[in-house]
């Protein structure tokens, strides 16, 4: 693929910095050189259900502006609506009042995104309830998203739905089913998670990027292995990142590409520090003509992070002594 002049803009998700205050997380990302942040609305980070949301949002907008950070609003908080049900209630719940609670959260997120000047609002379908008829679940999803899309159109902010392994809408093919069901609304877009492509899509991650390009509004990125839905630090999975970033640059995508490591918050600053040089190096490899690409036997010199090395053609991974060698927390995303 020929290189393009379209730069990629890298961010880091606050769901991977959950042990930091939001101000501290934003300052860290700005100091490290990130272009933006994937802001998950949660009880510790711009709580969407606490009082004075508009005023608090305005303060965060000022902070983002002062730090020069772009933002995408994400809505994947595990327990923000229900302290006992992970990601519950969903857009698919049998109880219409429960579905309405999720719809209200998404509409709040759209308003927050508009007030922050965000690129998009991310969301997902949720898991289909046990015993639910698939057609009923798809109908519930379409009906629930309709008022959210109306709010997104009024606010001028795209709604970027993410195919999530194990959810009703779990693949690119499922996204297109939803799109056609809703009549291809202008403000319906796609969140593409590069790891999910490696996990379950029939196409390679780079081919997924090319196939998704017309609807791409938000990108999440991490390493992953085929058939295993586990978000991994760069270098711990199977993804060849330069072709993925080359494909992304060639689409002209101008939103954020956000590192998503939600199970690594206990070592969030470490992974934020080491993820950006990895991505920048992979992007440089993607843009370089083949004859100018570095000898994979040579050490990768990051300047500030000389411990990162390029070994046998692989992209640089975090150095030895990784403080997250023993993962903490849930075994599900």
């Amino acid at each position: 693929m020929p290189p393009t002049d379209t730069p990629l803009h890298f961010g880091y998700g606050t769901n991977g910095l959950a042990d930091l205050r939001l101000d501290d997380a934003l300052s860290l990302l700005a100091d490290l050189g990130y272009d933006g942040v994937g802001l998950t609305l949660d009880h510790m980070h711009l709580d969407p259900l606490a009082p004075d949301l508009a005023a608090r949002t305005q303060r965060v907008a000022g902070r983002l502006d002062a730090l020069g950070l772009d933002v995408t609003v994400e809505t994947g908080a595990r327990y923000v609506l229900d302290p006992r049900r992970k990601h519950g209630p969903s857009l698919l719940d049998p109880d219409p009042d429960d579905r309405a609670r999720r719809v209200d959260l998404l509409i709040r997120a759209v308003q927050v995104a508009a007030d922050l000047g965000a690129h998009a609002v991310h969301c997902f379908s949720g898991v289909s309830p046990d015993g639910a008829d698939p057609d009923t679940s798809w109908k519930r999803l379409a009906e629930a998203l309709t008022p959210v899309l109306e709010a997104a159109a009024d606010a001028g902010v795209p709604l970027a739905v993410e195919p999530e392994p194990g959810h009703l809408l779990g693949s690119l093919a499922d996204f297109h089913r939803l799109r056609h069901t809703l009549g291809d609304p202008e403000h319906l877009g796609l969140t593409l998670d590069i790891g999910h492509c490696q996990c379950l899509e029939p196409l390679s991650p780079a081919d997924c990027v090319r196939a998704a390009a017309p609807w791409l509004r938000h990108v999440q990125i991490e390493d992953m292995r085929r058939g295993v839905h586990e978000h991994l630090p760069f270098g711990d999975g199977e993804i060849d990142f330069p072709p993925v970033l080359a494909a992304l640059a060639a689409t002209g995508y101008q939103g954020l590409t956000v590192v998503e490591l939600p199970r690594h918050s206990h070592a969030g600053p470490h992974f934020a520090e080491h993820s950006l040089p990895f991505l920048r190096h992979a992007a440089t490899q993607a843009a370089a003509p083949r004859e100018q690409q570095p000898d994979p036997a040579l050490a990768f010199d990051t300047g500030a992070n000389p411990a990162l090395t390029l070994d046998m053609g692989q992209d640089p991974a975090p150095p030895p002594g990784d403080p997250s060698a023993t993962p903490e927390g849930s075994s599900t995303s």
Side-chain angles (χ1 to χ4, degrees), residues 72-285:
T72 300
V73 170
E74 302 191 349
T75 61
R78 291 183 175 97
Y79 295 102
V80 70
L81 287 178
D82 189 325
R84 293 175 177 84
R85 286 194 295 163
K86 181 181 174 183
H87 298 315
S90 80
L91 298 171
L92 309 177
D93 272 29
D95 187 336
D97 291 338
D98 277 349
R99 296 198 299 275
R101 291 174 59 204
R102 178 62 62 172
V103 169
D104 175 71
L105 175 67
L106 295 181
I107 290 175
R108 287 171 180 254
V110 168
Q111 186 57 58
V112 168
D115 291 344
L116 294 178
H119 292 294
V121 173
H122 148 279
C123 71
F124 45 60
S125 69
V127 177
S128 192
D130 290 342
D133 174 67
D135 289 340
T136 298
S137 292
W138 279 104
K139 181 180 178 182
R140 287 174 181 163
L141 179 61
E143 290 176 349
L145 283 179
T146 296
V148 183
L149 284 163
E150 291 171 354
D154 290 343
V157 178
L159 183 69
V161 179
E162 178 188 7
E164 182 77 23
H167 285 210
L168 177 71
L169 197 156
S171 67
L172 288 173
D174 292 334
F175 168 75
H176 290 300
R177 174 173 178 170
L178 175 67
R179 185 171 64 84
H180 291 306
T181 298
L182 291 171
D184 203 11
E186 178 183 356
H187 281 80
L188 177 64
L190 173 71
T191 293
L192 187 69
D193 187 305
I194 300 302
H196 295 173
C197 297
Q198 176 68 22
C199 178
L200 55 73
E201 293 287 352
L203 298 175
S204 71
D207 284 338
C208 285
V209 169
R210 285 184 279 268
W215 302 278
L216 207 53
R217 300 296 179 267
H218 183 42
V219 175
Q220 297 171 340
I221 194 165
E222 69 285 316
D223 218 338
M224 204 168 285
R225 300 186 184 99
R226 185 70 178 171
V228 182
H229 183 206
E230 182 181 3
H231 291 234
L232 299 172
F234 297 117
D236 285 4
E238 301 170 341
I239 299 176
D240 183 13
F241 284 95
V244 175
L245 298 182
L248 191 57
T251 70
Y253 172 70
Q254 289 290 286
L256 289 173
T257 300
V258 172
V259 179
E260 190 184 24
L261 292 173
R263 299 179 202 166
H264 295 76
S265 278
H266 62 289
H270 168 86
F271 286 106
E273 178 182 357
H274 291 290
S275 293
L276 186 58
F278 179 99
L279 289 170
R280 285 179 170 168
H281 179 66
T284 298
Q285 285 187 298

